[in-house]
Amino acid sequence: MSKILVVEDDLALSAGLCFVLDDSGYLTVPAYTCQTARRLLKSDPFDLVILDVNLPDGSGFDLCREFKAAAPELPVIFLTAMGTTADKVKGLKAGADDYIAKPFEVEELLARIES
C-alpha cells in the first residue's frame, strides 16, 4: 500500500482528499503546515507527496526544493489554486513531478498518482 503525505492547509479539502485516496487503497497522512510536513518526512518514509503552494508558514515551492534535495526519488505532485503557466513552470523547476491546478477532477488526480 502506497503512503501519501497530503500537505494542504484547507482542512475540508485535506479531509476530502484523504478520504478519497484512502478509499482508493492508499494510506494518507495529512499535514497542514510546512513545519509538520518536514517533521513527518524526517520520521516516516512516504511514496508520494501531494503539495499545496500557499501554506500558512511558508511556500510549497520552497518545501518542494527541500524535499527533492533530501530525497530526489520522492515524487511530488503540486495540487494548488495557483494555476498560471508561470506558476506551473516554477513548480516543475522546483522539482515537482506533476502540477495540477484547482479546481480539479478526482479521477484525473488518481490517474496521475497511478502513473
Side-chain angles (χ1 to χ4, degrees):
M1 178 181 301
S2 295
K3 190 172 176 183
I4 301 174
L5 178 62
V6 177
V7 186
E8 169 62 62
D9 65 323
D10 180 317
L11 300 182
L13 179 56
S14 177
L17 278 172
C18 289
F19 177 82
V20 167
L21 294 172
D22 289 344
D23 194 49
S24 297
Y26 298 100
L27 174 63
T28 58
V29 178
Y32 310 111
T33 64
C34 293
Q35 180 180 3
T36 302
R38 284 183 191 104
R39 181 179 47 78
L40 288 168
L41 274 175
K42 285 180 184 175
S43 64
D44 284 324
F46 287 90
D47 300 300
L48 171 69
V49 176
I50 296 177
L51 180 59
D52 193 5
V53 171
N54 293 317
L55 296 164
D57 60 343
S59 163
F61 294 132
D62 294 335
L63 197 57
C64 181
R65 285 186 201 91
E66 288 178 38
F67 292 168
K68 287 299 200 167
E73 72 288 351
L74 177 65
V76 175
I77 298 175
F78 273 107
L79 182 63
T80 178
M82 303 205 31
T84 68
T85 299
D87 293 324
K88 293 174 185 177
V89 168
K90 187 174 181 179
L92 294 168
K93 285 187 174 184
D97 298 275
D98 206 343
Y99 196 107
I100 303 170
K102 297 173 189 171
F104 65 98
E105 296 293 330
V106 171
E107 294 82 10
E108 179 183 1
L109 175 62
L110 289 171
R112 290 176 186 244
I113 289 170
E114 290 170 12
S115 72

